[in-house]
Amino acid sequence: MRELVQLFLVQNTSDGTFHHQDIAKIKQRVNKRCLWFEEELEPDLRWVFGVSKILHTGESEFQTIELVESGPFGKVLLLDGKLQSAEADEFVYHESIVHPALLYHSNPKKVFIMGGGEGSTAREVLKHSSVKKVVMCDIDQEVVDFCRSNLTENAEAFSSTRVELVINDARVELENRNEKFDVIIGDLNDPVEGGPCFTLYTHSFYMHIIKAKLNVGGILVTQAGPAGILSHTEVYSSIYNTLRQTFKYVLPYAAHVPSYADTWGWVMASDQAFPTVNIKETDYRIQKRIQGELHFLDGQTLCATLALNKHVRKTLAGETHVYTEDSARFIHGYSSGLKNQN
Amino acid sequence: MRELVQLFLVQNTSDGTFHHQDIAKIKQRVNKRCLWFEEELEPDLRWVFGVSKILHTGESEFQTIELVESGPFGKVLLLDGKLQSAEADEFVYHESIVHPALLYHSNPKKVFIMGGGEGSTAREVLKHSSVKKVVMCDIDQEVVDFCRSNLTENAEAFSSTRVELVINDARVELENRNEKFDVIIGDLNDPVEGGPCFTLYTHSFYMHIIKAKLNVGGILVTQAGPAGILSHTEVYSSIYNTLRQTFKYVLPYAAHVPSYADTWGWVMASDQAFPTVNIKETDYRIQKRIQGELHFLDGQTLCATLALNKHVRKTLAGETHVYTEDSARFIHGYSSGLKNQN
Amino acid sequence: MRELVQLFLVQNTSDGTFHHQDIAKIKQRVNKRCLWFEEELEPDLRWVFGVSKILHTGESEFQTIELVESGPFGKVLLLDGKLQSAEADEFVYHESIVHPALLYHSNPKKVFIMGGGEGSTAREVLKHSSVKKVVMCDIDQEVVDFCRSNLTENAEAFSSTRVELVINDARVELENRNEKFDVIIGDLNDPVEGGPCFTLYTHSFYMHIIKAKLNVGGILVTQAGPAGILSHTEVYSSIYNTLRQTFKYVLPYAAHVPSYADTWGWVMASDQAFPTVNIKETDYRIQKRIQGELHFLDGQTLCATLALNKHVRKTLAGETHVYTEDSARFIHGYSSGLKNQN
Amino acid sequence: MRELVQLFLVQNTSDGTFHHQDIAKIKQRVNKRCLWFEEELEPDLRWVFGVSKILHTGESEFQTIELVESGPFGKVLLLDGKLQSAEADEFVYHESIVHPALLYHSNPKKVFIMGGGEGSTAREVLKHSSVKKVVMCDIDQEVVDFCRSNLTENAEAFSSTRVELVINDARVELENRNEKFDVIIGDLNDPVEGGPCFTLYTHSFYMHIIKAKLNVGGILVTQAGPAGILSHTEVYSSIYNTLRQTFKYVLPYAAHVPSYADTWGWVMASDQAFPTVNIKETDYRIQKRIQGELHFLDGQTLCATLALNKHVRKTLAGETHVYTEDSARFIHGYSSGLKNQN
């Protein structure tokens, strides 16, 4: 009887002897994955990763919901088959959408999160000891329930007494609430054709709803789509310009999020000038205000995320497109069309 | 006879009328690509893009060479089936590997490029009016011939009288040359198992070959592999630490290169302190020294590329691995094994 | 507020009017699958289908076990990531491996199934009213338990009093049993490198084990790998020739199994001449002996599966390779190597 | 200096010695393909093979044209990105579409090929010594020119004095010609939505054009799309039934074509009864009438291709759909829409 032994040998050319090579590497090569997640970033660009396990699946009236164990990114949350957030690097996105605005605000007490049903954005907001109340307003009850049940890292956030969880259309909720906020965070789906969210990136929404609901000195921050060298013209520059046409002060920033296969963009906007927050001051505020440790952001990193490269800055400076209901731009992708928000 | 007409209509819900939607978008969806390039970034991570045309193919004694027209990235150069450089964003990589070192040097006259057979690195170096001589030393005659014939954007560089083109092993060439350089640029293949290049990232190479060939105040800069949040531990931190163990002053930096699907890393090293070059001074030097325009780098961008994020900085600070012939680390990928350099 | 309406219109060119096209088709195109199963049939040939749900997963000491809901093939059973059996067309494989041998036998009472842990082969055998006892001998307890729990279509077979289920190496079990069989069925894994099964396709196994355990007039039938125009030389022709060197009478046959992306082959072998069973006689035997309906096989179909095409017949006639432990041929694929049978 | 040596060793467990395993296999595993052709057979079913070289590309007013060197199938001709014909197994398709009809005809002298611009169908027809004239009528000049230049295996057919090559719409050409044919062959594109060919599968076309152009005893044979267990209901059963409603005698047949990843179907139809051609008689006619050797078909094979399996026969028997311009069925796939034939 024979037995197949798989070995990689390394030959020492000086004396001809062989030594065993780490077998793990060759095993990786030989053991083929058979289940793959594929996201079509563009019609001719695919991001494909191996999936070892489907942890949970669900479907709301708006979208399909899946939690899978991926090879390269750990646990990955998918909405409508689009990667929303990956265990391995979600801290980059969530620290970036939350902390710059809260650090630039002099004393943020009340925060409104549009979307954010995953819970990670609330989790980061709650690290600020100044914050007394976080309204987290997501339209999709099932996503919220799913994440509350399955994302243990956000369990504390979901159960915090400082958090008020509302299931509603963010626009309707803001309009109906008789209160204002220090920071409003747009942790929204990307604007895709047929999707529920593109009206929450429009000039009229910013002008008539958001402005009315910000306290004096209040800051809006919104995720603003891909902001890479090749992708920032899709919606990022337009969202930036739309905010520039609406608010007196606007700060765009960006960071590479590996699981998104791109650099991602956010924009802060306010009618009051942003303070001059240098590296040292940022580090001081982080130390003073934030409980728990940040892993991505500190003074130096924030400085770098705000310093967009020459090419992107040039596009942003020259952008004239204003995002309205009638002139909407979309990034590649499709809504499941299960139900539209508006 | 009937004719199929494909339309996307937009219904105005206020009055029920329909308007035509841009037909281009839906066409993109319906017309399927059939030829795809696939790069296996990790055993379970694939980067896949549509190819509309194979422009040229070749094979050297070291590797296969292909130039294809891609959907998302324009013309793409592939060596051993690995994306080397894409028309759409090669300026990010090549401006980054060349200009920081040359701008930090007080007066760079002689530059040695290890690798760089594509010609783009020489093209960027030649933008510096102070540079009198560029030695471009690639081991692969066919790659050089192929790129000279097919990459029109580098034609001027290949024919410049300031460029001395040598086909040789960079280590042997440096050893044999009876001269020193102001800047040595390591525009090398990634260190992959069985590949020709990993010995050009080792402590002994830096210590015994590079140091001996740098003029006083000279700077080494080398590409150093992926430097993303999730990938910087593969080889980047080790190359950084190896240089830190070899040179008195070391500056790591990084930028997202979309066609690489990752943030990329470089490291500058010198035995003389780097000057304090702030944003204004960088912009001034660019204006004074560089002929032609840079598209990615300026003072603000350089500042950002040098400001690695907190997570990566922490790894780099704590890295203890020194890259030697016996302790080599590799990134995922395979050499064609056509011939090894060493 | 506007609503995006996706329509495909058909224009009648005679009068210019439009009619709605079935919306389902365009929806299919627009809603992208994101989870895919990929089987590497050859190093450069992939069979890829959309997966909508992972129904069950498991792992035995021998292999990984998965049941997924696929788009094109319904429920699919995967062992070591290789498609074993698909709801949509498993009847082709299982009717083919069972009924020809049992119909050609004059009066099959005792049947031994090597492998077949899925239960479908036993299910088909039990349709023969002459059969008093079926020994189903699979080495993998977990596969058997998994299929018994999850494949409802085989529930009846698993609970039949005529079935004796044994968990053992088929070779050891046959050797140890003090009885002979009318039909022995090799419902085995393909012979892959490192896999548990290749020794059950060898000349010595057929000669020393199988022959000794067949009653007079007994028939061996084994699955024999891909038998397509391009694939029959991998192992099919060799298994055929090996049986031809061992038994007096050998009948190879084949049928296209869509989910395998190939024509599949089986071989019957006996030391007693096969009866002349024409179309009419086959249909008569089916009617007389079989309870329940066959969906793939009848007299005409059996005749066609036995009539291999000219090209394959020519290869088979000229094949000289005999399958032994030392001369084993393999089809492309890898064992998980969790544990080898031998 | 060390050198990486990749070995697979086989250990003989009886004495513990190692022997080298064929290195080619492991090399296949390690050397990754990077260029892939992908055909979407169904929205959730992909057939993907490695491409080593693009041999030629072109574009006509109707479709894109490509000739690539594939790993598993040799040279492959693609029209609109759909595999038309592969070097490795085109003989199965072309022998099947040509020889049954010509062998069943008592004395075929004049043959009309609708489509067939590739030249392979004419090549097979010309093997019949009785044939005096072959009209090959393809609508696409560029496909014809491309294949004439690049498919050396068909050079003789293109230059035969027995062949009359016409560039025209087959329907128009048949209507305008003042002559009849013994055999008309429909070597057409599949009926896909928006494609040029679906009207050449309709009842009215068969009734009014084809019938009028067949001599007494004449036979129509047409390719009829996929005919596998899972795919024969797409268009095959409908084309069969449409011919059954039009002609007195109809013979459907099918064979697995590996590069199509499916069993393929054809249908012969005539108003005169087909002769009883048994295996022996078929072999006799082949020997007497055909110059050169057939590789797929002989008497036994033809018998098998005509014997559809029980499941497919049942569908065909019960099919009621008649293919008309207004009730057209399509197989999955898209026309480039460069220009429609009708």
Side-chain angles (χ1 to χ4, degrees):
Chain A
M1 191 64 48
R2 302 152 90 225
E3 191 188 311
L4 188 68
V5 181
Q6 297 171 354
L7 293 176
F8 253 49
L9 293 194
V10 175
Q11 185 173 26
N12 192 318
T13 52
S14 61
D15 63 1
T17 58
F18 283 82
H19 303 289
H20 285 212
Q21 179 75 346
D22 182 11
I23 197 72
K25 276 252 173 68
I26 178 63
K27 280 229 166 139
Q28 276 188 316
R29 297 179 190 181
V30 171
N31 289 338
K32 311 294 295 182
R33 289 260 166 204
C34 57
L35 206 57
W36 297 88
F37 169 81
E38 173 180 309
E39 183 168 349
E40 198 185 84
L41 301 172
E42 304 283 336
D44 49 13
L45 184 59
R46 298 173 179 172
W47 188 230
V48 186
F49 53 82
V51 168
S52 57
K53 220 168 180 175
I54 310 292
L55 300 169
H56 295 281
T57 59
E59 186 177 301
S60 74
E61 52 175 333
F62 300 100
Q63 51 205 335
T64 61
I65 314 166
E66 285 163 309
L67 190 67
V68 306
E69 182 69 40
S70 80
F73 306 122
K75 279 193 301 177
V76 166
L77 176 69
L78 310 169
L79 298 184
D80 269 357
K82 240 184 138 52
L83 191 155
Q84 292 299 309
S85 163
E87 188 182 21
D89 63 8
E90 59 92 1
F91 68 98
V92 178
Y93 175 90
H94 290 107
E95 291 189 12
S96 295
I97 198 171
V98 167
H99 300 302
L102 269 74
L103 291 170
Y104 273 52
H105 193 281
S106 58
N107 186 22
K109 293 182 179 159
K110 290 179 64 182
V111 176
F112 188 96
I113 302 170
M114 304 187 284
E118 177 187 335
S120 306
T121 297
R123 178 197 70 209
E124 293 300 318
V125 170
L126 292 169
K127 289 182 177 168
H128 287 257
S129 47
S130 67
V131 171
K132 305 299 177 217
K133 178 180 182 181
V134 186
V135 179
M136 176 180 154
C137 175
D138 200 287
I139 200 171
D140 196 331
Q141 178 82 56
E142 278 77 11
V143 164
V144 169
D145 290 346
F146 184 91
C147 294
R148 180 158 39 192
S149 303
N150 294 298
L151 305 184
T152 52
E153 62 271 32
N154 296 339
E156 215 173 311
F158 277 112
S159 65
S160 167
T161 55
R162 290 190 283 162
V163 172
E164 177 190 345
L165 174 58
V166 184
I167 304 300
N168 199 358
D169 175 335
R171 172 198 287 265
V172 173
E173 181 68 20
L174 278 170
E175 281 183 314
N176 292 349
R177 280 185 101 87
N178 206 4
E179 61 181 331
K180 297 191 174 191
F181 297 89
D182 299 314
V183 176
I184 298 178
I185 299 175
D187 184 14
L188 302 163
N189 283 0
D190 292 319
V192 296
E193 265 190 88
C197 277
F198 78 93
T199 60
L200 304 181
Y201 295 92
T202 58
H203 182 258
S204 71
F205 176 66
Y206 294 142
M207 182 62 86
H208 302 303
I209 312 292
I210 295 293
K211 277 199 159 192
K213 298 299 176 177
L214 282 175
N215 284 320
V216 173
I219 299 175
L220 165 75
V221 60
T222 185
Q223 84 89 12
I229 284 272
L230 302 177
S231 57
H232 66 287
T233 54
E234 292 175 28
V235 298
Y236 185 57
S237 61
S238 167
I239 294 171
Y240 164 75
N241 183 54
T242 303
L243 286 165
R244 185 170 56 177
Q245 305 296 331
T246 319
F247 289 89
K248 285 196 192 136
Y249 304 94
V250 181
L251 280 182
Y253 59 107
H256 174 227
V257 182
S259 63
Y260 292 179
D262 210 345
T263 285
W264 216 252
W266 304 267
V267 185
M268 286 186 275
S270 180
D271 279 332
Q272 188 169 315
F274 292 102
T276 315
V277 185
N278 60 18
I279 293 178
K280 210 172 139 186
E281 171 68 12
T282 302
D283 285 335
Y284 174 70
R285 290 189 178 193
I286 287 174
Q287 193 203 337
K288 205 181 59 178
R289 298 181 178 189
I290 289 183
Q291 298 188 309
E293 205 189 342
L294 304 190
H295 299 285
F296 174 68
L297 274 181
D298 61 2
Q300 185 168 324
T301 308
L302 179 52
C303 172
T305 62
L306 286 160
L308 302 178
N309 67 66
K310 186 185 174 186
H311 182 67
V312 171
R313 292 210 318 279
K314 199 175 161 185
T315 306
L316 263 54
E319 178 64 77
T320 59
H321 182 266
V322 175
Y323 208 104
T324 69
E325 280 76 6
D326 292 321
S327 71
R329 289 184 179 172
F330 302 105
I331 70 164
H332 184 70
Y334 316 107
S335 167
S336 68
L338 287 173
K339 188 176 165 185
N340 285 0
Q341 180 171 345
N342 304 294
Chain B
M1 192 62 49
R2 302 152 91 221
E3 193 189 310
L4 189 66
V5 181
Q6 296 171 355
L7 293 177
F8 253 48
L9 294 195
V10 175
Q11 186 174 26
N12 192 318
T13 52
S14 60
D15 63 1
T17 58
F18 283 83
H19 304 289
H20 285 211
Q21 179 76 345
D22 183 11
I23 197 71
K25 278 251 175 67
I26 178 64
K27 280 227 165 141
Q28 278 188 316
R29 297 181 189 179
V30 171
N31 291 338
K32 311 293 295 179
R33 290 261 164 204
C34 57
L35 204 58
W36 297 87
F37 169 82
E38 173 180 308
E39 184 168 349
E40 199 184 84
L41 301 172
E42 303 283 337
D44 50 12
L45 184 59
R46 298 174 177 171
W47 189 230
V48 186
F49 54 81
V51 168
S52 57
K53 220 166 179 176
I54 310 294
L55 300 169
H56 296 279
T57 59
E59 186 177 300
S60 74
E61 54 174 332
F62 300 100
Q63 51 206 333
T64 61
I65 315 166
E66 285 162 309
L67 189 66
V68 306
E69 181 70 40
S70 80
F73 305 123
K75 280 194 298 179
V76 166
L77 177 69
L78 311 168
L79 298 183
D80 270 358
K82 241 185 138 52
L83 191 155
Q84 292 300 309
S85 165
E87 188 182 20
D89 63 9
E90 60 93 0
F91 68 98
V92 178
Y93 175 90
H94 290 107
E95 291 189 12
S96 296
I97 196 171
V98 168
H99 300 302
L102 270 75
L103 290 170
Y104 274 51
H105 194 281
S106 59
N107 186 22
K109 291 182 182 160
K110 290 178 64 183
V111 176
F112 188 95
I113 302 169
M114 304 187 284
E118 177 188 335
S120 306
T121 297
R123 180 196 68 209
E124 294 299 319
V125 170
L126 291 169
K127 288 182 177 168
H128 287 256
S129 46
S130 68
V131 171
K132 305 300 177 216
K133 181 178 181 182
V134 186
V135 179
M136 176 178 153
C137 176
D138 201 288
I139 200 172
D140 196 330
Q141 178 80 56
E142 279 77 12
V143 164
V144 169
D145 291 346
F146 183 91
C147 293
R148 180 159 39 191
S149 304
N150 294 299
L151 304 183
T152 52
E153 63 272 32
N154 295 339
E156 216 173 311
F158 277 111
S159 65
S160 168
T161 56
R162 290 189 284 164
V163 172
E164 177 190 345
L165 174 58
V166 185
I167 304 300
N168 199 359
D169 177 332
R171 172 198 289 264
V172 173
E173 181 66 21
L174 277 170
E175 281 182 313
N176 292 349
R177 281 187 100 86
N178 207 3
E179 61 180 332
K180 298 193 174 188
F181 297 89
D182 299 314
V183 176
I184 297 179
I185 299 175
D187 184 15
L188 303 162
N189 283 0
D190 292 318
V192 295
E193 264 190 90
C197 278
F198 78 92
T199 61
L200 303 181
Y201 295 92
T202 57
H203 182 258
S204 71
F205 176 66
Y206 293 142
M207 183 60 88
H208 303 303
I209 312 290
I210 293 293
K211 277 199 160 193
K213 298 300 175 177
L214 281 175
N215 284 321
V216 174
I219 300 174
L220 165 75
V221 62
T222 185
Q223 86 89 12
I229 283 273
L230 303 176
S231 57
H232 66 287
T233 54
E234 292 175 28
V235 297
Y236 184 58
S237 61
S238 167
I239 294 172
Y240 164 76
N241 184 53
T242 303
L243 285 165
R244 186 169 56 176
Q245 304 295 331
T246 321
F247 289 89
K248 285 195 193 136
Y249 304 95
V250 181
L251 281 183
Y253 58 107
H256 174 228
V257 182
S259 63
Y260 291 0
D262 209 345
T263 286
W264 216 251
W266 303 267
V267 184
M268 286 185 277
S270 181
D271 277 334
Q272 188 169 317
F274 292 102
T276 317
V277 185
N278 61 19
I279 292 178
K280 210 172 139 187
E281 171 67 12
T282 303
D283 285 334
Y284 174 72
R285 290 189 178 193
I286 287 174
Q287 193 204 337
K288 204 179 59 176
R289 297 180 178 190
I290 290 183
Q291 299 186 309
E293 205 190 341
L294 304 189
H295 298 285
F296 175 67
L297 273 181
D298 62 3
Q300 184 169 325
T301 308
L302 179 51
C303 172
T305 62
L306 285 160
L308 301 177
N309 67 66
K310 184 184 176 187
H311 182 67
V312 171
R313 292 209 320 278
K314 198 173 163 187
T315 306
L316 263 55
E319 178 63 78
T320 59
H321 182 267
V322 175
Y323 208 104
T324 70
E325 280 76 5
D326 292 321
S327 72
R329 288 184 180 171
F330 303 105
I331 70 164
H332 183 69
Y334 316 108
S335 167
S336 68
L338 286 174
K339 187 177 165 185
N340 286 0
Q341 180 170 345
N342 303 295
Chain C
M1 193 61 50
R2 301 152 92 226
E3 192 188 310
L4 190 67
V5 181
Q6 296 171 354
L7 294 177
F8 253 49
L9 293 196
V10 175
Q11 187 174 24
N12 192 317
T13 51
S14 60
D15 64 0
T17 57
F18 284 83
H19 303 289
H20 285 212
Q21 179 76 345
D22 181 11
I23 199 70
K25 277 251 173 68
I26 179 64
K27 279 227 166 141
Q28 276 188 316
R29 298 180 188 180
V30 171
N31 290 339
K32 311 293 295 181
R33 291 257 163 207
C34 58
L35 205 58
W36 297 87
F37 169 82
E38 173 181 310
E39 184 168 350
E40 199 185 85
L41 301 172
E42 303 284 336
D44 49 13
L45 184 59
R46 297 174 177 170
W47 188 231
V48 185
F49 54 81
V51 168
S52 57
K53 220 167 180 175
I54 310 294
L55 300 169
H56 295 280
T57 59
E59 186 177 300
S60 74
E61 52 174 333
F62 300 99
Q63 50 206 335
T64 61
I65 313 165
E66 285 162 309
L67 189 66
V68 307
E69 181 70 39
S70 81
F73 306 122
K75 280 194 299 179
V76 167
L77 177 69
L78 311 168
L79 298 184
D80 269 358
K82 240 183 139 54
L83 191 154
Q84 292 300 310
S85 165
E87 188 182 19
D89 63 9
E90 59 93 1
F91 68 98
V92 178
Y93 175 91
H94 290 106
E95 291 189 12
S96 295
I97 197 171
V98 168
H99 300 302
L102 270 74
L103 290 171
Y104 274 51
H105 193 281
S106 59
N107 186 22
K109 292 182 180 160
K110 290 179 62 183
V111 177
F112 188 94
I113 303 169
M114 304 188 283
E118 179 187 334
S120 306
T121 296
R123 179 197 68 209
E124 293 300 318
V125 170
L126 291 170
K127 287 182 178 168
H128 287 257
S129 46
S130 67
V131 171
K132 306 300 177 215
K133 179 179 183 183
V134 186
V135 179
M136 175 179 154
C137 175
D138 201 287
I139 199 171
D140 196 331
Q141 176 82 56
E142 278 76 13
V143 164
V144 170
D145 290 347
F146 184 91
C147 293
R148 180 158 40 193
S149 303
N150 293 299
L151 303 184
T152 51
E153 62 272 31
N154 295 339
E156 216 172 311
F158 277 112
S159 65
S160 167
T161 55
R162 290 189 283 163
V163 173
E164 177 189 345
L165 174 57
V166 185
I167 303 300
N168 199 359
D169 177 333
R171 172 197 290 265
V172 174
E173 181 67 21
L174 278 169
E175 282 183 312
N176 292 348
R177 281 187 101 86
N178 207 4
E179 61 181 331
K180 299 193 174 188
F181 297 88
D182 300 313
V183 177
I184 298 179
I185 300 175
D187 184 16
L188 302 162
N189 283 0
D190 293 319
V192 297
E193 266 190 85
C197 277
F198 78 93
T199 61
L200 303 181
Y201 295 92
T202 57
H203 182 258
S204 71
F205 176 65
Y206 294 142
M207 182 62 87
H208 302 303
I209 312 292
I210 294 293
K211 278 199 161 194
K213 298 299 175 177
L214 280 175
N215 283 320
V216 173
I219 300 175
L220 165 75
V221 60
T222 184
Q223 84 90 11
I229 284 273
L230 303 177
S231 58
H232 66 286
T233 55
E234 293 175 28
V235 298
Y236 184 57
S237 60
S238 168
I239 293 171
Y240 164 76
N241 184 54
T242 304
L243 286 165
R244 185 170 54 175
Q245 305 295 331
T246 320
F247 288 89
K248 286 197 192 135
Y249 304 94
V250 181
L251 280 183
Y253 58 108
H256 174 228
V257 183
S259 64
Y260 290 0
D262 210 345
T263 286
W264 216 251
W266 304 266
V267 185
M268 286 186 277
S270 180
D271 277 334
Q272 186 169 319
F274 291 103
T276 316
V277 185
N278 60 19
I279 292 178
K280 210 172 139 188
E281 171 68 12
T282 304
D283 285 334
Y284 174 72
R285 291 190 178 192
I286 288 174
Q287 195 203 334
K288 204 179 60 177
R289 298 180 178 190
I290 290 183
Q291 299 188 309
E293 205 190 342
L294 305 189
H295 299 286
F296 175 67
L297 273 181
D298 61 5
Q300 185 169 324
T301 308
L302 179 52
C303 172
T305 63
L306 286 161
L308 301 178
N309 67 67
K310 185 184 176 188
H311 182 68
V312 171
R313 292 210 319 277
K314 198 174 163 187
T315 306
L316 263 54
E319 179 63 80
T320 60
H321 182 267
V322 175
Y323 209 104
T324 68
E325 280 76 6
D326 291 322
S327 71
R329 289 185 179 170
F330 303 106
I331 70 163
H332 183 70
Y334 316 108
S335 166
S336 69
L338 286 173
K339 187 177 166 186
N340 286 358
Q341 179 172 345
N342 304 295
Chain D
M1 193 60 50
R2 302 153 91 223
E3 191 189 311
L4 190 67
V5 181
Q6 296 170 355
L7 293 177
F8 254 49
L9 295 194
V10 175
Q11 186 173 26
N12 191 318
T13 52
S14 60
D15 63 1
T17 58
F18 283 83
H19 303 288
H20 285 213
Q21 179 76 345
D22 181 11
I23 197 72
K25 277 251 174 67
I26 178 64
K27 279 227 166 142
Q28 277 188 316
R29 297 181 189 180
V30 171
N31 289 338
K32 311 294 295 179
R33 290 260 165 203
C34 58
L35 204 58
W36 297 87
F37 169 82
E38 174 180 309
E39 183 168 348
E40 199 185 85
L41 301 172
E42 302 284 336
D44 49 13
L45 184 59
R46 297 173 178 173
W47 188 231
V48 186
F49 54 81
V51 168
S52 57
K53 220 168 180 175
I54 309 294
L55 300 169
H56 296 279
T57 59
E59 187 177 300
S60 73
E61 52 174 333
F62 301 100
Q63 50 204 336
T64 61
I65 314 167
E66 285 162 309
L67 189 67
V68 307
E69 182 69 40
S70 81
F73 305 121
K75 281 193 300 178
V76 167
L77 176 69
L78 310 168
L79 298 183
D80 270 357
K82 240 182 139 56
L83 191 155
Q84 292 299 311
S85 165
E87 188 182 19
D89 62 9
E90 60 93 0
F91 68 99
V92 178
Y93 175 91
H94 289 107
E95 292 189 12
S96 295
I97 196 171
V98 167
H99 299 303
L102 269 75
L103 291 170
Y104 274 50
H105 193 279
S106 58
N107 186 23
K109 292 182 182 161
K110 291 179 61 183
V111 176
F112 188 95
I113 303 170
M114 304 187 284
E118 177 188 336
S120 306
T121 297
R123 180 197 68 211
E124 293 300 319
V125 170
L126 291 170
K127 288 182 178 169
H128 288 257
S129 46
S130 66
V131 171
K132 306 302 176 212
K133 180 177 180 183
V134 185
V135 179
M136 176 178 154
C137 175
D138 201 287
I139 200 171
D140 196 330
Q141 177 81 57
E142 279 76 13
V143 164
V144 170
D145 291 346
F146 184 91
C147 293
R148 180 158 40 191
S149 304
N150 294 299
L151 304 183
T152 53
E153 63 271 32
N154 295 338
E156 215 173 312
F158 277 113
S159 65
S160 168
T161 56
R162 290 190 283 163
V163 171
E164 177 190 344
L165 175 57
V166 185
I167 303 300
N168 199 358
D169 177 333
R171 171 198 290 265
V172 173
E173 182 66 20
L174 278 170
E175 281 183 312
N176 291 349
R177 280 186 101 86
N178 207 3
E179 60 181 333
K180 298 192 175 190
F181 296 88
D182 298 315
V183 176
I184 298 178
I185 299 175
D187 185 15
L188 303 163
N189 283 359
D190 292 319
V192 297
E193 264 189 87
C197 279
F198 77 94
T199 61
L200 303 180
Y201 295 93
T202 57
H203 182 260
S204 70
F205 176 66
Y206 294 142
M207 182 61 87
H208 302 303
I209 312 292
I210 294 293
K211 278 199 160 191
K213 298 300 175 178
L214 280 175
N215 284 319
V216 172
I219 299 175
L220 165 76
V221 61
T222 184
Q223 84 91 12
I229 283 273
L230 303 177
S231 58
H232 66 286
T233 54
E234 292 176 28
V235 296
Y236 184 56
S237 60
S238 167
I239 293 172
Y240 163 75
N241 183 54
T242 304
L243 285 166
R244 185 170 55 177
Q245 305 296 331
T246 319
F247 289 89
K248 285 196 193 136
Y249 304 94
V250 181
L251 281 182
Y253 58 108
H256 174 227
V257 182
S259 64
Y260 291 179
D262 209 344
T263 285
W264 215 251
W266 303 267
V267 185
M268 286 186 274
S270 180
D271 278 334
Q272 189 169 315
F274 291 102
T276 315
V277 186
N278 60 18
I279 292 178
K280 210 173 141 189
E281 170 68 12
T282 303
D283 285 334
Y284 174 70
R285 291 189 178 193
I286 288 174
Q287 194 202 337
K288 204 179 60 178
R289 298 181 179 188
I290 290 183
Q291 299 187 308
E293 204 189 341
L294 304 189
H295 299 285
F296 175 67
L297 273 181
D298 61 3
Q300 185 169 325
T301 309
L302 179 52
C303 171
T305 63
L306 285 161
L308 302 177
N309 67 65
K310 184 183 176 187
H311 182 66
V312 171
R313 291 210 319 278
K314 197 173 163 187
T315 306
L316 262 55
E319 178 64 78
T320 59
H321 182 266
V322 175
Y323 208 103
T324 68
E325 281 76 6
D326 291 322
S327 71
R329 288 184 179 170
F330 303 105
I331 70 163
H332 184 69
Y334 316 108
S335 166
S336 68
L338 286 174
K339 189 176 164 186
N340 286 358
Q341 180 172 342
N342 304 295

